[in-house]
Structures are given as structure tokens and as C-alpha cells.
Amino acid sequence: MSLSLIGLITILIIVTLLISGKVIPIVAMVIPPLLGALMAGYSFVEIGSFFGSGVSSVINVAIMFIFAIIFFGIMQDVGLFDPLINKMVVFSQGNVITVSVGTVLVAAIAHLDGSGASTFLITIPALLPVYKRLKMNPYLLLLLVGGSASIMNMIPWAGPLGRTASVLEMDVTELWKPLIPIQIIGMILMIALAVLLGMREKRKIIRNYGSLESAASLEEAVEEQDASIKSEQENDLARPKLLWINAFLALTVVGVLVAGIIPAGLAFMIGVSIALPLNFLKVNDQMDRLRAHAPNALTMASIILAAGLFLGILNGTGMLNAIANDVVKVLPGTIAPYLHIIVGLLAVPFDLILSTDAYYFALLPVVDQIAASFGVASLSTAYAMVIGNIVGTFVSPLSPALWLALGLAGLEMGRHIRYSLFWMWGISMLLVVLGISIGII
């Protein structure tokens, strides 16, 4: 059996298991690639080296995740986000559409640093309580944040354009400039999608609760009931007198994260080390906060490490490169001149089976070589593949930042793919068609 076939079967099994929800992500991302590597003839010693390289590529994300969850959990405990949540609810007046559109705009601003992880760290903890308060689907939050961040991911200091520029051996800023109109159109489409899905969400809330006011009042009743049975210790978690100090601490940590002064994991580690004694003077209280948030953080960190094994095996065995080359070879020769457009239109599904590196460093050069033989400019090929692929960045299970977002929101990968794939693929194809119509492709 060829290496590419083994790799393709392995990835399809993993994606199927994740979508089906029959097993937890750790099982899906450990057993299939392990068996695939053994079928390809690799020894356990070699698999161990793949594990080492794969884990080393995600270890910083795992460390950041652990301390980010604990840090934002503490900030949630002490009531940092309560004023923001209350003002957003008052501003929206229960208007689900306003919240949906606001989510797109906030995510776009948050992604100006080009980091998906920091975007999710900034937006999810702050907006998730608003969605819960208004009885909105949290998967809508992830779709809107991920879609908005994906459109903004065309900025030159983000990963995809940097990879593309290195393949084409050109300046990344020059590569980006023609994409600015696509970004603007993409954001308009995301706002339109937010309005459309917001209207749909509003109808669901009214259907389930009778009215938006009933949903909000039900939430308040539940909160009051929960508050009445909370222990005195839990009631004392809020620190209203330290609100501005905690806000300054959170903004400083995020600012350091965006500026890249120190590694993100270290920034959150320092943040946790300051936040605990600042808000909880007793050692037992500090340990209680760690115990409260550690299970979720460690669970998702273990999933990220499992993803490291998955990526390490697929990269180390050469399965991803083999898939990228063989997929192109089996295509009929009559469609070769339009191969870049076809790949662009199918780029979001490609995101489910190819890592970002495999897509840009393995598939792009091969497609470019074939298309160039039929007179297609390399820039045209690159733009078709970038525009088509980039919208699906945060739908793919191969995105470590997406796992971070899922952990922050307490959501499942399979349900997210089912909820978001149709909409993101639709926007991707629209943008490719628009790229052709305005002459970029």
C-alpha cells in the first residue's frame, strides 16, 4: 500500500472519528496514526522520534493553553468580565443580531496581531458569557470569531502569506496588497453572515423560550437560584474593589502576548503568579482556584499533545507530502490548466486533510508547476490557493489554535465542523469567484 494511501486513510479515519463523536479526540489522534505508521513499515523507535518532533512543535501551545485557561478562569472568578458582559447585554437590549455582528468586528480587531491563539484568548472568555446569557449557540460564537480571524489572516505578518511568499520567493507585502480588496469583501460577507445567522438564532430562541425576554429572565432566575445555594467561599470570589487592577493586569498580559516580548506561555505563567496572590491572600484559596480550573486546562492540553503525535507521524513519515503529490497526479489532464482554481474551490475540504505546511510547502509548488506549464502565472495560482484555503483555517482539526478555542469554550471539534464547514466553504468559494471576476486570479 502506498504511503499517500495510508496517510489519506489515516486522516479520513481521524476526521470521521472526530465528526462522529464516538471517541474522545485523544483516541482519534493517537491510535489511527500509530497504526498507519506501523503499516507503512516504521518501527517504534522511529515512531518515537516522530512523537518527539511532533510534540516539540505543539508544546509551547500546550503550555500557553494550561496557564491561559487558569489565568482567564481566575479573571472570570473575580468578576473582571461582568461589567463588559452586562454592558453588552444592555447595549444589545437582547438583540441577538447586534451581538453577532459585534462578535465579527471584535474578532477582526483582536486578530490584527495575526495570531489565532491570542485572538481566541481575547474573544472567547469575554464573549462566551454574553452568548450564554442570551441563550445563543456557542458554536455560532466560534464560527463568527474563527471566520472573521480567517479573513484577517491574510495580513502579511500572519502565517499563510509568509509561507506563500517563501515558496514564490517574493516580498510578502507586495503579495498582500492585491488581497486587500478580498479582505474587505470577506469582512462584508462575514458581517452579512452574522446578520443571517443572528436572525436564525433569534428565531430559535423565540421558538424555545417564547421570547427573548423570557430567555433572559430564565437565565436570571437560574443565576439567582445558583447564587442562593453557593457557599460563602464561592460568593467571596468576586473582587469588585480590585476590578481596575485586574483589568490592568489582563491588558498587560495580552499586550505582552501581542507584542511578542516574551513567549506566550511565560506571559500567562507570570500572569497567574501575580493574579493568585493579588486576589487570594490565603494559600488554600489559591490552591482551590488552581484545582477549579486545572482539569479543563490539562484535558485540552493533553489533546494538543496528542495532536502533536498525529502531526509528527504524518510529517515524519512523509505521508502529507505524498498525499499532496499524488492527489495532483490522479487529476485528468484536461482540467490541468484550471487546476489552481479547482484546488482553490476545494481548499476548505483540503484543510481537513492537509496541514498548513503541507498545503503551502508541498501542494502549492506542485500545483504551480503544473499550472505554469499551461501559461498560468504563479501569482494567480498562489492567490487562488490562498483565498480558497485561508477561510477554512479555523475549521480544520489540524489547527492548534482551534483546539485552544474549543477548550476555552468547552465545545467539541466534530460539532464545530458540522456547524461551520458549510458556511465557511461557501464564503471561500464566493471569494475565489470574486477573485477571478476582479482579475486577481
Side-chain angles (χ1 to χ4, degrees):
M1 188 179 296
S2 68
L3 191 61
S4 61
L5 183 58
I6 294 174
L8 185 61
I9 293 173
T10 299
I11 294 172
L12 289 176
I13 290 174
I14 291 171
V15 173
T16 301
L17 288 174
L18 289 172
I19 293 176
S20 69
K22 298 295 184 181
V23 296
I24 62 174
I26 294 176
V27 176
M29 289 188 291
V30 170
I31 302 301
L34 185 63
L35 295 177
L38 292 173
M39 287 181 60
Y42 290 90
S43 67
F44 279 105
V45 174
E46 292 171 310
I47 293 173
S49 67
F50 301 153
F51 168 76
S53 61
V55 168
S56 66
S57 68
V58 300
I59 189 65
N60 289 334
V61 175
I63 293 172
M64 178 187 67
F65 182 87
I66 293 173
F67 287 97
I69 287 294
I70 295 173
F71 178 77
F72 282 111
I74 294 170
M75 293 295 102
Q76 187 84 3
D77 290 338
V78 300
L80 175 62
F81 302 117
D82 290 346
L84 174 63
I85 295 165
N86 293 331
K87 287 184 178 180
M88 281 195 68
V89 173
V90 171
F91 173 75
S92 67
Q93 293 294 317
N95 191 326
V96 175
I97 299 173
T98 302
V99 173
S100 299
V101 173
T103 299
V104 172
L105 298 177
V106 169
I109 295 171
H111 199 72
L112 286 173
D113 69 333
S115 169
S118 64
T119 299
F120 291 125
L121 286 168
I122 293 168
T123 56
I124 300 295
L127 295 177
L128 182 61
V130 178
Y131 276 66
K132 289 182 177 179
R133 182 81 61 86
L134 297 177
K135 294 296 187 296
M136 295 173 67
N137 192 337
Y139 287 95
L140 174 61
L141 168 62
L142 195 55
L143 165 61
L144 295 178
V145 172
S148 180
S150 296
I151 300 297
M152 291 300 296
N153 212 33
M154 293 183 193
I155 52 181
W157 51 91
L161 255 62
R163 292 178 175 88
T164 305
S166 65
V167 170
L168 300 182
E169 298 181 355
M170 66 176 295
D171 180 71
V172 67
T173 305
E174 294 301 316
L175 181 65
W176 171 57
K177 288 178 181 178
L179 287 174
I180 295 176
I182 294 293
Q183 277 189 289
I184 295 172
I185 296 171
M187 289 307 303
I188 293 172
L189 289 175
M190 280 305 305
I191 292 172
L193 179 63
V195 172
L196 175 64
L197 296 183
M199 293 171 62
R200 186 182 72 169
E201 197 68 21
K202 181 179 179 179
R203 289 194 296 269
K204 286 184 179 179
I205 295 171
I206 293 175
R207 184 170 63 248
N208 293 333
Y209 298 98
S211 68
L212 297 176
E213 292 76 12
S214 298
S217 63
L218 176 62
E219 177 69 23
E220 291 173 2
V222 172
E223 288 179 351
E224 290 175 3
Q225 182 180 8
D226 290 343
S228 66
I229 62 175
K230 281 184 178 180
S231 66
E232 188 67 26
Q233 179 183 8
E234 290 174 320
N235 286 333
D236 286 343
L237 292 179
R239 298 290 187 268
K241 294 182 179 180
L242 296 174
L243 176 64
W244 291 109
I245 297 177
N246 282 311
F248 176 77
L249 174 61
L251 289 174
T252 301
V253 171
V254 173
V256 170
L257 179 73
V258 172
I261 299 172
I262 57 177
L266 178 57
F268 283 112
M269 192 181 295
I270 295 172
V272 169
S273 301
I274 296 174
L276 282 173
L278 173 66
N279 293 283
F280 306 100
L281 298 179
K282 297 180 180 178
V283 174
N284 288 339
D285 292 339
Q286 297 173 17
M287 288 302 300
D288 286 342
R289 291 304 88 210
L290 284 178
R291 294 189 187 99
H293 301 294
N296 185 39
L298 292 176
T299 297
M300 290 308 302
S302 66
I303 293 175
I304 291 174
L305 293 174
L309 169 66
F310 165 45
L311 295 173
I313 288 178
L314 293 183
N315 281 308
T317 58
M319 291 181 187
L320 288 180
N321 286 338
I323 291 171
N325 286 289
D326 289 351
V327 163
V328 174
K329 290 179 182 177
V330 299
L331 291 174
T334 54
I335 64 174
Y338 311 102
L339 182 59
H340 60 305
I341 296 176
I342 294 171
V343 172
L345 292 172
L346 298 176
V348 171
F350 268 122
D351 247 336
L352 299 178
I353 60 174
L354 292 176
S355 70
T356 302
D357 286 335
Y359 184 85
Y360 288 102
F361 291 135
L363 185 59
L364 173 57
V366 177
V367 174
D368 179 36
Q369 182 178 3
I370 295 174
S373 64
F374 290 89
V376 179
S378 294
L379 269 178
S380 182
T381 300
Y383 286 139
M385 294 184 64
V386 168
I387 293 170
N389 169 266
I390 209 163
V391 180
T393 300
F394 299 117
V395 180
S396 170
L398 300 177
S399 169
L402 178 55
W403 288 104
L404 173 63
L406 291 167
L408 289 168
L411 304 179
E412 300 174 8
M413 175 64 80
R415 290 186 63 185
H416 168 60
I417 294 175
R418 291 197 298 270
Y419 189 93
S420 301
L421 180 61
F422 171 80
W423 301 106
M424 291 298 94
W425 192 6
I427 289 180
S428 168
M429 290 191 290
L430 273 176
L431 290 179
V432 171
V433 172
L434 286 169
I436 296 171
S437 65
I438 64 177
I440 296 177
I441 301 172

